[in-house]
Amino acid sequence: MTTTDLRSRSVTTERDSRAATDMLLALLPAGRWRARAWSDFLAMAARRSIRQAVARPRAIAEVTALHGLVIALGRDRRLPVWSLVSWALAAGHLGLLEHRQALGAADMLSLARANLPAMAPAGGVWQAAAALGSDLLDGRIARATGTVSPFGRYADSFADAAFWIWFTVRNEPAPRFRAAAVAVWLVPVLAVTATSVAHGRMVDAPRPRLVRPAALAQAALTVRALRRG
């Protein structure tokens, strides 16, 4: 299949989000990862994101209201870059809601966790406790309410990565522990992204069945912060 064929199919397909993303990613190896392939990929991804957001006015209103509230309540009165980036990422991935037209309570909880740094930029133990609590709740709420979706899964993962990398850099004084903790979240994201681009399709990160390194790191960072007072 040629790059032109892939470009045509990626524009017209409105199947599930996974299939649409795979079709877009396939443009990169088909175009040998050249500048034209990247520009086509970014342009088509942006157009699809806009279409999906326009098709879900309630969801885009919920995302905007949540981030507006975070900005209003935040203690940092400078340009709220953190919340604006979070809004753009959430609004640009509403297609991952698939058949749903609105966010669920679990999705809102995950997005709120991602924005904890904007609420108190200085950092604090209460934020770690809130992040742990919301991480335990959002998946259970999604399953109980039947609102499990790719959007929720990705929001949960990226909320964890964003918050805990920020919390580690802000609060962990030991350089080696800080580097190891950041790697727990950063390395899988970079590895999955690089592999997906190289293969031209989405690749899922492996999920250990017994012990999740990220969960251990969250608990260790929280305990260490509590011991420091």
Side-chain angles (χ1 to χ4, degrees), residues 98-117:
E98 298 193 328
H99 65 280
R100 290 167 46 208
Q101 298 298 310
L103 302 182
D107 301 326
M108 298 289 277
L109 194 58
S110 297
L111 293 177
R113 178 166 74 257
N115 280 277
L116 283 172

Side-chain angles (χ1 to χ4, degrees), residues 174-211:
R176 290 183 179 179
F177 192 90
R178 184 168 61 240
V182 168
V184 165
W185 287 280
L186 194 58
V187 169
V189 172
L190 295 177
V192 168
T193 301
T195 305
S196 297
V197 169
H199 288 266
R201 58 181 175 81
M202 289 184 68
V203 176
D204 295 320
R207 294 182 66 86
R209 293 185 178 182
L210 297 179
V211 179

Side-chain angles (χ1 to χ4, degrees), residues 113-147:
R113 178 166 74 257
N115 280 277
L116 283 172
M119 299 296 293
V125 177
W126 72 268
Q127 289 168 301
L132 283 172
S134 67
D135 197 16
L136 291 172
L137 285 174
D138 56 10
R140 289 173 171 80
I141 292 173
R143 289 188 292 272
T145 57
T147 56

